[in-house]
Amino acid sequence: MAIETWDSPYIVIWLCLGVLATVLTYGTRGYSGKLNGLEAAFYGVVIGGLAILDGAVLGQTMYDKTEKVWGNLGTMLGLSGPLIVSGLILIVFYRNRVVKHPDEVTVKGEDLEINKSYLLGGITSFMTYGLLAAGIGAMNIVMDIVEDKEGIIYGLAGLVPLVIAIWLIAKYSKWMFKYIVWVLRRKGLLQVVDDKDSK
């Protein structure tokens, strides 16, 4: 079946449900500590593939011959949305795992020591690619809007969404761990190791 015929919102819904089911399985396995590298990679490929299809289908569904910006908007939302939402869902699972195993995040002096986790790897992948896809998609939308206008300002306007996306990629991890530390401190579970005690 050609992609041009994939213009039904029902397909978008089923693809989103597929992403949700996969990321919930990913998160549940990661929370219980039963997730291995091969399994995490498989879930990542499935979610990424479904997100790509969702972007194509939603873009085709919203496509308008007179206003192609709608098609680009649909593609951006369909691709970046599932990835970002998957990353946010995994953050919730990771928070719950850290609350159950508080020794996985330790404050040592001014540093934060974090045990390696496949949940963290999934969060990093989904948030990075999702935000990057959103930035590139938004850049294309802006360029479609200002394509007939000349000037440096209009040219630079297209770069703004991508710059914002890169800034968010650089910052979200810091915000996430601030939130994790806050949760642990509020529950009295934060593990603090004094440098003098560790020597």
Side-chain angles (χ1 to χ4, degrees):
M1 182 169 57
I3 194 68
E4 287 80 4
T5 64
W6 290 24
D7 57 357
S8 170
Y10 296 108
I11 298 178
V12 174
I13 293 172
W14 280 111
L15 289 171
C16 289
L17 289 175
V19 171
L20 181 61
T22 307
V23 75
L24 289 177
T25 304
Y26 189 157
T28 302
R29 298 280 293 172
Y31 169 78
S32 62
K34 299 178 180 179
L35 191 66
N36 58 50
L38 186 61
E39 192 177 0
F42 171 75
Y43 291 139
V45 169
V46 171
I47 292 171
L50 290 174
I52 291 172
L53 285 175
D54 191 53
V57 174
L58 188 57
Q60 186 64 35
T61 301
M62 296 179 61
Y63 179 75
D64 187 329
K65 291 182 179 179
T66 59
E67 292 291 342
K68 63 180 181 179
V69 66
W70 291 110
N72 288 336
L73 177 62
T75 300
M76 180 196 75
L77 293 176
L79 174 59
S80 63
L83 294 176
I84 294 174
V85 171
S86 294
L88 294 175
I89 290 174
L90 290 187
I91 289 175
V92 175
F93 277 103
Y94 181 68
R95 180 202 64 186
N96 292 338
R97 175 167 175 79
V98 169
V99 169
K100 185 179 179 181
H101 304 280
D103 56 320
E104 293 193 0
V105 175
T106 305
V107 176
K108 187 175 181 181
E110 296 183 355
D111 298 323
L112 191 64
E113 294 190 350
I114 304 154
N115 291 354
K116 291 183 179 179
S117 168
Y118 292 116
L119 278 177
L120 272 180
I123 293 169
T124 300
S125 298
F126 296 142
M127 293 299 291
T128 299
Y129 290 124
L131 289 170
L132 192 59
I136 294 174
M139 180 178 68
N140 290 332
I141 292 171
V142 172
M143 295 305 294
D144 284 341
I145 294 174
V146 302
E147 64 178 349
D148 296 329
K149 299 178 181 179
E150 297 180 355
I152 297 178
I153 295 178
Y154 294 113
L156 293 176
L159 296 176
V160 173
L162 185 59
V163 171
I164 293 174
I166 294 173
W167 179 77
L168 288 174
I169 291 171
K171 291 291 185 179
Y172 85 87
S173 182
K174 180 179 180 181
W175 296 337
M176 178 183 71
F177 282 111
K178 279 187 175 181
Y179 168 67
I180 296 294
V181 169
W182 175 80
V183 170
L184 291 174
R185 181 178 286 117
R186 185 171 62 88
K187 291 180 177 291
L189 299 172
L190 185 62
Q191 307 289 309
V192 180
V193 178
D194 195 331
D195 282 335
K196 294 181 181 179
D197 295 336
S198 61
K199 292 181 181 179

